[in-house]
Amino acid sequence: MRVTKITIAALAVAAGLSLTACQSDGDATSRSDSSAAPASPSAHGGPGSDGSARGAAKASAGKDSGAGQSTGAGTGSDKDGKTGKTGKTGKCRTDELEVTAADHTIDGDPGGTVVVEFTNGGGRDCALSGYAGVDLRTSAGSLSARRTGEPASRTVLKDGESVAFGITYPVNDSGGSGVRVTGLVVTPPDETKSVSLAWPGAATLPVTDGSGSPVKAGPIGSAGQGG
């Protein structure tokens, strides 16, 4: 009987050990399956997570960036609009002009006439308007011409084209030596740089009483009409 009881007890112990081993295997399998299962969406930035908020912010920033690029293109267009492309022709500069003077006095006229011509040599269209500055160098000092007061229109010169204006002055028929003219200084309209030329008109001017300059200059385009 003792042997039988020992055998039964041994079997019971073995059965208990086997059951414990099975439970341990089941727990291990459960833990292994749990570790192999995919992480929850919130662990990878899924909906409702901080990662999702960051992703949405980045997407929103990307959209905003695209809108900024669109606005930038518009700004570039505005800049192009501000580059001076207005279709207006710039004024003629002194260095772009060839300036010449010639005597145009006609027999029978009460006074003398000199015509000053501007020729555009700047390689571009340019405009002249108004009155040029005119000064005569004389033995008595510099003598500035007065404006005739005629209306002045704007003239656009293509490269190679010319425009002229007239200078009128009194002829010295007093029999005296008068005032000797030694040169002519011309300043194009709206410019400060002048051009010095030889005086092509009469050698002398009559002596004046100091009441004003006897020399007059017409506007651009008035060649032979100053008076």
Side-chain angles (χ1 to χ4, degrees), residues 10-27:
L11 290 174
V13 171
L17 291 175
S18 175
L19 179 61
T20 301
C22 289
Q23 288 176 350
S24 296
D25 290 342
D27 291 343

Side-chain angles (χ1 to χ4, degrees), residues 116 118 129-135 145 147 165 185-190 217-220:
V116 175
F118 293 121
S129 61
Y131 286 78
V134 175
D135 295 281
R147 295 178 177 181
F165 70 93
V185 179
V186 177
T187 307
D190 300 318
I220 298 299

Side-chain angles (χ1 to χ4, degrees), residues 140-208:
S142 180
L143 179 64
S144 297
R146 293 183 298 166
R147 295 178 177 181
T148 61
E150 298 173 69
S153 59
R154 186 171 182 267
T155 300
V156 175
L157 295 179
K158 295 186 179 297
D159 187 35
E161 290 185 345
S162 302
V163 68
F165 70 93
I167 302 171
T168 58
Y169 62 94
V171 176
N172 180 22
D173 55 6
S174 65
S177 59
V179 178
R180 185 166 56 89
V181 182
T182 60
L184 171 64
V185 179
V186 177
T187 307
D190 300 318
E191 280 288 271
T192 57
K193 186 174 183 179
S194 302
V195 177
S196 296
L197 305 169
W199 173 249
T204 62
L205 300 175
V207 177
T208 64

Side-chain angles (χ1 to χ4, degrees), residues 3-14:
V3 172
T4 304
K5 288 180 180 179
I6 291 173
T7 302
I8 293 173
L11 290 174
V13 171

Side-chain angles (χ1 to χ4, degrees), residues 66-107:
Q69 289 171 359
S70 216
T71 302
T75 303
S77 177
D78 290 342
K79 286 182 180 178
D80 289 342
K82 294 179 182 179
T83 56
K85 297 177 182 178
T86 58
K88 293 183 179 179
T89 303
K91 69 180 181 180
C92 298
R93 302 289 185 178
T94 301
D95 290 338
E96 297 177 311
L97 298 170
E98 179 185 352
V99 188
T100 58
D103 182 20
H104 275 231
T105 302
I106 299 174
D107 291 341

